[in-house]
Amino acid sequence: MKVTMIGTGYVGLVTGTCFAESGNDVTCLDVDQKKVDLLNGGGIPIYEPGLTELVRRNSESGRLKFTTDYSEAIPGSKCIFICVGTPQDESGAADLKYVQSAAEQMAPYLDKDAVVICKSTVPVGTNRKVRGWIQAKTDTPFYSASNPEFLKEGAAIDDFTKPDRVVVGVDEAAASEIVEELYKPFLRTEKPYISMGIESAEMVKYAANCMLATKISFINEIANICEQVDADINEVRKGIGHDARIGFSFLFPGVGYGGSCFPKDVRAMASVAEENGVKPRILRTVDETNDQQKNVLFEKIKNHFDGSVSGQTIAVWGLSFKPRTDDIREAPSLVLIRQLLEAGATVKVSDPVAIENVKHQLGDAIEYCEHHYDACDGADVLAIVTEWNEFRNPDFDYIKLKMNSPVIFDGRNLYDRHQMAKRGFTYSGIGLAALPASDE
Ligand code: NAD
């Protein structure tokens, strides 16, 4: 099948490449000429495990192409996926300007009965608007579909090729059948293809992300209480996770969720609620709780220095909003680093892949270290913000040698606090009372 992806970011590039891998003829279109040139030259604009090899193989086979030209990408396409960004506007609602522009630009080139599928996360009612924007520019009949995407950065290829479910919102069964054919290779293990109304499909994506964000804010709040009452969140988590009604997923406390989805999707859902006369009490609180949680490490570090970090050197491990991605959108690391700089600290950072993206935002205000051990050189505190695998089992003796003082504030609970005390570190996690280094 000939397929076009409009928007070649995390979602468009991954899903387009996976469709090409299953034998389709895929064109990825983007307005960003530099991105398209890079892809045509064999480069990859994002870090996503496994993607480079997949893009290379499918480009070489001729099944995957990149362009900025709508007149080249749309004609002959049976399925056109809109995968452009939907950032939040000043009010917190989803900004649909990229979606509208994609709809209007594709319109003149649509084939009869092509399916225009919105994969971008959009508020309920957007697919109807997309239909209107296209119809204002063409008389060609076409189908509309909503197909929310559930992939996670860092595991995007696996998530897309082995989905828990595929959700498609349509008005006509014919459109659903076309989309189902495209997804069949990924649903061979009896995972469901769920066809529903367009508005319901639009709601599914927001409801899913809001539920996950709520779990994170919930466990962070429980962790903060644990810390004050001498309970251990790891023990509490185990105690509740074995309850089949609760489960373990998304119940790891931390320094707040970030990324391009949860923060903006929670706010967009809350805006939709308010526009429709529903008070989004839970969603507003989830968002506020998360914003507060991003301050937790800074507050702890400040308290450690009796209220002032001025003149201290702080090492920060992990910049991306989560491991296995270079995405730093709404990353908790940026909040911490800005607070430290503002308070007069020197900041040394390390991350396996996100340093370049942070340089664009913070320039030479901080020191970038290629190896995470180097960030510890002369540091008074080490703050761990992202749980990259390579941080899980470091050489603690070496870290101790490098640091001015062996103090770790762990925003991801990577280590056992009793062992850390024995190793001679003053160690503080999230939801665990801090332990000073033991004298043993
Ligand atoms: P992104 O910012 O990485 O990529 C969007 C791309 O669209 C950019 O390359 C941009 O240049 C391009 N673009 C903008 N306007 C265009 C136009 N008129 N024509 C062609 N290209 C255009 O965004 P993303 O992370 O891939 O997210 C895309 C959508 O998918 C968003 O709605 C997001 O909420 C949703 N989503 C993202 C994820 C994720 O993990 N990143 C997961 C599920 C859903």
Side-chain angles (χ1 to χ4, degrees):
M1 194 183 297
K2 183 163 190 264
V3 176
T4 299
M5 316 304 295
I6 302 186
T8 308
Y10 288 90
V11 168
L13 183 57
V14 169
T15 58
T17 305
C18 292
F19 282 137
E21 177 74 3
S22 59
N24 298 290
D25 174 8
V26 179
T27 303
C28 289
L29 180 147
D30 205 284
V31 284
D32 185 339
Q33 184 72 55
K34 272 212 260 165
K35 200 177 260 193
V36 169
D37 289 345
L38 178 70
L39 285 158
N40 278 327
I44 301 282
I46 55 171
Y47 174 81
E48 182 60 46
L51 187 61
T52 307
E53 163 63 13
L54 220 52
V55 169
R56 191 185 52 75
R57 187 164 66 236
N58 285 284
S59 302
E60 280 173 10
S61 75
R63 285 193 302 268
L64 183 62
K65 299 179 206 77
F66 304 98
T67 183
T68 55
D69 186 351
Y70 277 83
S71 71
E72 189 187 310
I74 307 294
S77 253
K78 192 73 195 155
C79 287
I80 297 123
F81 285 87
I82 298 177
C83 308
V84 298
T86 47
Q88 68 180 56
D89 66 16
E90 309 84 61
S91 73
D95 187 340
L96 298 177
K97 64 172 179 279
Y98 303 115
V99 175
Q100 179 170 2
S101 150
E104 290 174 347
Q105 288 183 83
M106 80 168 82
Y109 306 109
L110 280 181
D111 274 20
K112 182 172 175 293
D113 294 339
V115 193
V116 175
I117 305 154
C118 198
K119 197 172 248 321
S120 297
T121 303
V122 290
V124 64
T126 303
N127 273 269
R128 305 271 170 221
K129 287 186 187 161
V130 168
R131 202 166 174 77
W133 290 326
I134 296 175
Q135 280 172 336
K137 303 263 173 197
T138 182
D139 294 329
T140 306
F142 67 96
Y143 297 115
S144 295
S146 164
N147 172 218
E149 181 49 57
F150 303 104
L151 64 76
K152 301 183 292 296
E153 290 173 23
I157 294 169
D158 245 28
D159 285 349
F160 186 72
T161 52
K162 296 175 203 142
D164 290 333
R165 77 309 203 184
V166 171
V167 170
V168 174
V170 286
D171 283 334
E172 303 92 349
S176 177
E177 281 160 22
I178 295 167
V179 180
E180 187 173 8
E181 196 176 320
L182 197 54
Y183 273 105
K184 262 194 186 137
F186 310 117
L187 293 169
R188 292 169 63 233
T189 50
E190 306 307 324
K191 296 290 184 184
Y193 177 85
I194 310 173
S195 189
M196 59 181 72
I198 288 183
E199 283 72 17
S200 300
E202 289 173 328
M203 278 295 288
V204 165
K205 174 66 186 172
Y206 281 112
N209 275 1
C210 289
M211 178 71 210
L212 296 172
T214 302
K215 286 183 92 173
I216 296 172
S217 277
F218 170 81
I219 200 68
N220 282 338
E221 186 160 300
I222 297 293
N224 294 341
I225 302 169
C226 282
E227 225 166 289
Q228 299 308 318
V229 297
D230 255 346
D232 177 332
I233 189 66
N234 288 328
E235 293 170 355
V236 173
R237 197 175 54 78
K238 277 183 212 145
I240 62 171
H242 281 288
D243 185 327
R245 295 168 302 176
I246 297 173
F248 283 103
S249 63
F250 277 77
L251 284 184
F252 287 94
V255 285
Y257 58 75
S260 68
C261 292
F262 287 176
K264 81 168 171 58
D265 291 352
V266 169
R267 289 172 206 143
M269 185 81 278
S271 291
V272 168
E274 278 157 0
E275 279 161 26
N276 289 280
V278 178
K279 207 162 184 189
R281 294 182 182 88
I282 294 176
L283 298 177
R284 290 289 180 215
T285 305
V286 165
D287 186 34
E288 196 189 316
T289 305
N290 191 59
D291 279 348
Q292 287 302 322
Q293 195 67 15
K294 290 183 180 178
N295 299 330
V296 160
L297 274 188
F298 177 69
E299 290 303 324
K300 288 185 175 199
I301 295 171
K302 203 171 72 173
N303 287 342
H304 172 76
F305 293 113
D306 294 329
S308 170
V309 296
S310 179
Q312 307 293 340
T313 298
I314 315 296
V316 175
W317 281 7
L319 298 170
S320 55
F321 84 93
K322 65 174 184 180
R324 294 176 294 284
T325 180
D326 61 349
D327 198 341
I328 57 162
R329 288 177 279 189
E330 304 235 17
S333 64
L334 298 178
V335 175
L336 171 66
I337 293 168
R338 290 197 171 104
Q339 287 172 325
L340 289 169
L341 290 176
E342 213 162 285
T346 298
V347 181
K348 301 173 76 170
V349 304
S350 187
D351 186 282
V353 297
I355 283 180
E356 283 311 310
N357 285 341
V358 172
K359 275 186 187 167
H360 290 137
Q361 290 208 15
L362 296 178
D364 56 12
I366 57 178
E367 188 183 326
Y368 302 92
C369 302
E370 206 165 302
H371 200 287
H372 49 282
Y373 289 139
D374 295 338
C376 297
D377 272 331
D380 300 294
V381 155
L382 166 61
I384 299 174
V385 185
T386 316
E387 67 276 33
W388 282 93
N389 274 343
E390 42 270 74
F391 301 159
R392 288 185 184 274
N393 206 7
D395 182 338
F396 289 107
D397 290 337
Y398 189 47
I399 293 173
K400 221 156 72 175
L401 273 180
K402 285 187 161 264
M403 292 184 74
N404 262 352
S405 49
V407 181
I408 297 182
F409 287 90
D410 182 354
R412 299 294 174 180
N413 290 355
L414 296 188
Y415 315 126
D416 180 282
R417 62 181 169 150
H418 301 288
Q419 278 182 13
M420 291 306 286
K422 277 192 201 147
R423 287 178 179 127
F425 283 86
T426 296
Y427 177 78
S428 167
I430 304 288
L432 319 159
L435 280 187
S438 66
D439 295 330
E440 290 171 49

